[in-house]
Amino acid sequence: MSSGKLSHSVAMILKALSLGYQFGFEIMEVTGLPSGTVYPALRRLERDGLVSSQWEAEAEAFEEQRPARRYYELTKVGKEAEMAATQRYPLLARLVPEKLGKTL
Amino acid sequence: MSPRKSEAESEIEDLDVPVVALRQEVRGICGRVLPFAARLTPAQRRNEWLREWRAELWCLQHGGRRVRWDHDVMSAASLAYGMMADAAWLGFDAALAKRRGTASACLWVLAAWCLVCAGLERMMMGSWTVFWSVLETHFLNGYIFIAAPAIFASAATNPVRPPRCEGTHRRGWLTTKARWNLFLWAKVALTLALGFFACMAATAPLRMEIGRWADWVEMPLFAVTVTAGLRWALLNQEQRCQTCLRMLKQPTRLGPPSYNFLEWSGMELACSDGHGQLHVPEMRGSWCWYDLWVERESGSETVERIA
Ligand SMILES: [Zn+2]
């Protein structure tokens, strides 16, 4: 997936990931995008090598009394795509706020 | 409780993640959709997918900090739709990856393009009678006379090599050699048909304008499409795994080209299912006339020289 072909929704997801939002629900909350857009987009980005994922350590999740989450982060290619998307959609920075604290 | 439901529920209970109680109204929709959606995902990713979604649904119950998640039926329905879309995407992508590059996918794509071109021609002709009559005339009075020498020329300049695998291997009810031949002839037939329909569709507007004079454009076009199509079909056959007929992948350059006379150098392609590798020499010479197919069978390797 080249950065030139990124849709606005995908650009928002990349922006959210670059700001430290790590999993589907968190991204849905901060971008306001529906789950039907966020989850398939995350799969596609992972398949195309823009995003990688890993499971949270069980001990960490157990400490917070919740199931372990699958965390997503941008790869090197993903970061480049995110920068290109930010240039293409300058308003992205205003649409997706900085992450202030940890989501429950 | 139906047996189907109990099976789906037991699928979730098998997971090592503790079952999380969802809010009543959300559970009504999402809880029922989750096992059903899970069936759309590929089997090897199903448990992981369920585990991820259970963790996501936990967040729904406990809420986020920035935006209040409305625990109403519409939100639950939207999430259930997302769940289905996610599962369907995974299932579709896995099915597509499984079919990509296979012999059947190649034949289906060629057949689909034939239908598209024939459909275009039919639309421009206006009626089935005119359509069949035009096809018959141009096929018998033009295409056959052009295609026959073009087929001969293509075969002569790029000889069809026999399959490089053992003909005795059996995949399904046909031997690998029979499948190799069947696929080649089906592909050649569909390529020729596509060439014919594509030329007919491309020259239809011209035919309607200038009548039989359009033959002067049509005939050379037939010759070019048949020659190019057949060369593609033969080359495509060479770039497939000789066992499963899937397109070979991962092209890797081997050896320094500057040592061509001292050492083997060229390109290596591999079957993604691990049936073997194709070695394509950089320079053909008396020591290496053809590509080498290295077949990997039950842990042992046999090198066959193509001849
Ligand atoms: Zn194979």
Side-chain angles (χ1 to χ4, degrees):
Chain A
M1 193 189 285
S2 80
S3 55
K5 289 179 188 170
L6 291 178
S7 67
H8 189 255
S9 313
V10 172
M12 277 177 87
I13 293 169
L14 288 177
K15 187 74 195 170
L17 286 166
S18 77
L19 291 172
Y21 298 96
Q22 287 178 293
F23 59 99
F25 184 78
E26 213 176 28
I27 296 168
M28 271 165 60
E29 267 204 326
V30 77
T31 58
L33 292 169
S35 56
T37 302
V38 171
Y39 292 99
L42 280 173
R43 311 282 178 211
R44 204 164 54 246
L45 289 168
E46 191 174 17
R47 183 199 62 187
D48 295 342
L50 275 77
V51 159
S52 65
S53 72
Q54 59 178 25
W55 283 97
E56 179 189 22
E58 285 285 349
E60 202 176 309
F62 185 77
E63 218 168 79
E64 294 185 16
Q65 299 280 297
R66 57 172 175 74
R69 289 170 185 150
R70 190 174 182 174
Y71 286 141
Y72 293 86
E73 62 176 358
L74 292 178
T75 60
K76 194 169 170 264
V77 186
K79 281 176 191 156
E80 285 167 14
E82 184 271 321
M83 282 192 280
T86 308
Q87 277 185 338
R88 191 176 170 194
Y89 304 108
L91 288 177
L92 271 185
R94 278 194 229 166
L95 288 171
V96 188
E98 294 274 346
K99 189 175 176 178
L100 299 173
K102 198 174 179 185
T103 307
L104 269 178
Chain B
M1 187 188 286
S2 69
R4 179 174 269 255
K5 192 180 174 189
S6 63
E7 190 192 328
E9 281 181 351
S10 69
E11 226 166 46
I12 302 176
E13 283 161 12
D14 284 345
L15 296 171
D16 50 357
V17 179
V19 174
V20 180
L22 302 171
R23 277 180 71 109
Q24 199 59 42
E25 62 268 42
V26 176
R27 189 192 173 106
I29 295 175
C30 295
R32 245 174 264 144
V33 170
L34 189 65
F36 177 71
R39 287 172 193 281
L40 299 176
T41 60
Q44 67 272 22
R45 291 188 71 175
R46 193 164 298 153
N47 271 5
E48 201 185 36
W49 184 85
L50 277 165
R51 193 178 165 206
E52 184 176 355
W53 267 99
R54 295 200 69 80
E56 296 288 320
L57 291 176
W58 185 93
C59 293
L60 180 71
Q61 187 195 2
H62 293 82
R65 286 178 180 172
R66 286 164 197 82
V67 181
R68 291 295 307 160
W69 182 269
D70 300 321
H71 292 280
D72 58 18
V73 176
M74 280 309 287
S75 305
S78 164
L79 199 72
Y81 166 74
M83 209 182 273
M84 289 293 287
D86 185 31
W89 189 89
L90 276 177
F92 180 73
D93 193 55
L96 209 64
K98 204 177 163 188
R99 303 274 179 283
R100 199 172 288 138
T102 60
S104 56
C106 172
L107 296 180
W108 278 113
V109 168
L110 283 172
W113 276 111
C114 280
L115 279 176
V116 168
C117 292
L120 276 173
E121 172 75 2
R122 162 66 185 81
M123 264 169 56
M124 286 185 275
M125 291 300 103
S127 80
W128 285 107
T129 320
V130 178
F131 171 72
W132 288 118
S133 147
V134 167
L135 282 195
E136 191 186 346
T137 313
H138 287 255
F139 185 78
L140 295 175
N141 298 337
Y143 190 69
I144 273 190
F145 294 107
I146 299 286
I151 290 170
F152 180 76
S154 299
T157 52
N158 192 357
V160 181
R161 295 168 192 157
R164 287 162 258 176
C165 55
E166 298 276 347
T168 49
H169 292 173
R170 199 165 273 278
R171 283 176 69 83
W173 50 277
L174 283 174
T175 60
T176 15
K177 194 171 183 174
R179 284 181 80 244
W180 192 91
N181 281 312
L182 194 66
F183 171 59
L184 175 65
W185 292 113
K187 185 169 56 177
V188 164
L190 280 170
T191 307
L192 291 174
L194 177 59
F196 176 63
F197 286 125
C199 287
M200 291 302 290
T203 54
L206 201 62
R207 237 174 16 246
M208 287 187 278
E209 282 295 318
I210 57 173
R212 293 295 293 184
W213 287 101
D215 288 359
W216 289 100
V217 176
E218 199 178 273
M219 295 297 164
L221 207 57
F222 278 157
V224 170
T225 47
V226 170
T227 314
L230 281 179
R231 282 197 75 85
W232 167 81
L234 295 172
L235 191 68
N236 177 273
Q237 194 77 3
E238 293 295 305
Q239 290 168 345
R240 286 179 179 273
C241 167
Q242 299 299 301
T243 307
C244 66
L245 295 174
R246 192 184 271 264
M247 283 299 281
L248 296 168
K249 287 179 181 171
Q250 303 154 358
T252 315
R253 278 206 64 86
L254 286 179
S258 52
Y259 289 97
N260 247 325
F261 292 104
L262 304 169
E263 229 178 296
W264 192 92
S265 78
M267 186 77 83
E268 198 176 88
L269 297 123
C271 167
S272 49
D273 290 342
H275 293 126
Q277 287 171 323
L278 182 69
H279 299 266
V280 185
E282 177 84 22
M283 256 174 69
R284 298 187 196 279
S286 55
W287 67 94
C288 192
W289 275 113
Y290 297 112
D291 306 346
L292 283 175
W293 172 249
V294 183
E295 197 169 319
R296 196 180 289 265
E297 196 70 43
S298 320
S300 66
E301 281 188 359
T302 52
V303 181
E304 289 177 34
R305 187 80 181 219
I306 310 147

